[in-house]
Amino acid sequence: YQTDTGVLNGWKIEFLVGGQETNTPETTSFVNEDPLGIPDNSFVGVSSTVNVTRTGAIKKLALHLDIAHTYIGDLEISLEKNGISKVVHNREGGSDDDIKRTFSLEEFNGSEAEGEWQLVVKDLSRRDVGTINSWSLDIAF
């Protein structure tokens, strides 16, 4: 009998855990739903806290904002933790109303998730006012 020959170029095994691939990071949400007024024409602004109670290095971080404001071009918004600060909105949007948006923040990847996270919102002009309705962090570990 004649036989055919060939070469095995590679192979792999993928394990599923709980219906998901093992390389899919686990994501946990941390939320602040306490409305907080944003002081008008204030260079200090207002700070809102989310306390992350889970330890571990961040693989991926998403910031979700729900902010009501009648002139978003007045606003500077940043997320801060342990000396790392990332401005996510810097007076863009002119006279548009409200910020309901998600930001992906790679600056925090690899850092420890546990601790107090601060959302700092500054209204840097007069007349228009607003409220932080809620905000949250989705952290992939």
Side-chain angles (χ1 to χ4, degrees):
Y1 296 99
Q2 257 184 337
T3 58
D4 293 326
T5 61
V7 175
L8 177 63
N9 292 320
W11 66 279
K12 70 178 183 174
I13 298 175
E14 292 185 20
F15 294 94
L16 297 179
V17 177
Q20 295 182 353
E21 292 183 28
T22 56
N23 63 352
T24 303
E26 179 185 340
T27 301
T28 305
S29 295
F30 301 90
V31 181
N32 184 326
E33 295 180 310
D34 297 327
L36 183 60
I38 302 166
D40 194 31
N41 196 28
S42 170
F43 288 94
V44 174
V46 66
S47 181
S48 178
T49 302
V50 162
N51 190 26
V52 172
T53 55
R54 179 161 174 199
T55 62
I58 296 169
K59 290 184 180 174
K60 189 174 183 182
L61 176 70
L63 167 64
H64 304 283
L65 296 180
D66 180 357
I67 295 177
H69 197 280
T70 54
Y71 198 100
I72 64 171
D74 291 356
L75 300 179
E76 179 184 285
I77 304 168
S78 59
L79 182 66
E80 301 176 357
K81 181 181 182 281
N82 288 345
I84 300 173
S85 180
K86 172 63 178 171
V87 175
V88 297
H89 180 89
N90 191 7
R91 302 188 81 175
E92 300 101 5
S95 63
D96 290 348
D97 291 348
D98 306 333
I99 298 174
K100 294 182 181 182
R101 187 171 163 205
T102 299
F103 300 87
S104 181
L105 303 175
E106 295 178 6
E107 292 80 2
F108 295 95
N109 289 356
S111 63
E112 173 59 43
E114 184 180 34
E116 281 192 1
W117 291 76
Q118 299 291 317
L119 181 72
V120 179
V121 181
K122 299 174 185 176
D123 181 334
L124 301 172
S125 293
R126 288 182 277 162
R127 292 190 201 112
D128 296 278
V129 295
T131 302
I132 302 170
N133 293 322
S134 65
W135 68 284
S136 64
L137 298 173
D138 287 347
I139 302 175
F141 293 89

